[in-house]
Amino acid sequence: VCTQQELLPCKSLPETLLFQLLGLSIATLSTVAHYGLRFTLISNVSLDSNTYKVIHHTAFYFGICLSMTLILAALLSSAATVRESQCLTAMGFFCFALAFCGLIPAACWRYTHSMEVEDSMMDVYDFMYEEVRRNTSSFRRHELTAIHEAFLCCGKHSPFGDTTDVESKTCPPDQVHNEGQDCLREIQDFLKKHMDFVFSLLGITIGFTVYGMFLTSFLWFSIHFSSNLYRKGKYTLR
């Protein structure tokens, strides 16, 4: 229960929990994308000349840093509200501003380079498919089989409707007999859904980050002009 003296810090608690939840959501999405079976399979077989591995690792570290920044900003803002500290408020604003400066380029990159991620991922599959078709290496065939099982697809569909020995050796039996999904199209559809979800989460995070910047700015000016000094040091949370 909040009394009149405790109104400001109690009102800050839902916002703090919201920013922490948002940060945890970003960290969870980054971890799933980095260690998820489908992403990991493609990353493990990609060549050094392919840009997918760089994108794969960069997205993970960016997501973790962003989530930590948001959680830290939420904790600093909460502590600043309770203690009426201008220093903590300024640090919270700095964290929100830092997150905002990282989110805007990330959203722009997602909008302008989405095809680059898609093409690099499909290039990895094309390379694997051609390697298995030209060579009888059991190692490459095992990796291609794992990709087929993970994406529930089967090879590349020929415009002439025929299948090669690659499909018969690397596709699950039910996919071969039932003319399973084209892997290039399946990878494209899977990545499009994932990137749309990432873009939506980035948009939501940008909105709440701007809100956090306004909130900490208002709190800093409120403390600076001593609008509530008569209540300083009397806050208790229960």
Side-chain angles (χ1 to χ4, degrees), residues 22-65:
L22 191 60
L24 290 175
S25 299
I26 295 174
T28 302
L29 178 63
S30 302
T31 303
V32 170
H34 189 263
Y35 294 104
L37 177 61
R38 296 182 176 184
F39 292 104
T40 303
L41 285 173
I42 298 295
S43 178
N44 289 340
V45 300
S46 62
L47 299 177
D48 293 336
S49 58
N50 191 286
T51 59
Y52 176 77
K53 186 174 290 187
V54 176
I55 297 172
H56 182 73
H57 291 290
T58 303
F60 171 70
Y61 293 119
F62 173 80
I64 295 299
C65 292

Side-chain angles (χ1 to χ4, degrees), residues 106-138:
C108 294
W109 189 91
R110 155 64 184 89
Y111 184 77
T112 57
H113 292 77
S114 59
M115 293 301 297
E116 181 179 341
V117 183
E118 185 177 299
D119 291 342
S120 63
M121 202 169 184
M122 291 192 293
D123 285 344
V124 174
Y125 179 81
D126 269 330
F127 167 77
M128 290 292 301
Y129 186 90
E130 294 301 323
E131 279 287 304
V132 174
R133 189 176 65 84
R134 292 194 301 263
N135 195 346
T136 58
S137 172
S138 60

Side-chain angles (χ1 to χ4, degrees), residues 123-217:
D123 285 344
V124 174
Y125 179 81
D126 269 330
F127 167 77
M128 290 292 301
Y129 186 90
E130 294 301 323
E131 279 287 304
V132 174
R133 189 176 65 84
R134 292 194 301 263
N135 195 346
T136 58
S137 172
S138 60
F139 178 71
R140 290 297 187 187
R141 188 165 61 245
H142 174 73
E143 290 178 334
L144 188 62
T145 302
I147 293 176
H148 287 163
E149 292 176 350
F151 283 92
L152 299 179
C153 59
C154 182
K156 299 190 296 184
H157 287 183
S158 169
F160 303 102
D162 57 340
T163 58
T164 64
D165 292 338
V166 177
E167 281 80 1
S168 60
K169 293 179 180 179
T170 61
C171 293
D174 57 334
Q175 295 287 335
V176 176
H177 298 316
N178 299 329
E179 297 184 355
Q181 295 288 335
D182 183 355
C183 279
L184 293 179
R185 181 174 295 277
E186 192 67 23
I187 292 173
Q188 185 180 34
D189 292 343
F190 165 75
L191 192 59
K192 184 178 183 302
K193 293 178 182 177
H194 181 80
M195 295 297 284
D196 288 343
F197 182 77
V198 169
F199 190 67
S200 300
L201 186 59
L202 284 176
I204 295 172
T205 307
I206 290 173
F208 278 105
T209 302
V210 173
Y211 170 72
M213 293 168 64
F214 276 110
L215 189 66
T216 50
S217 299

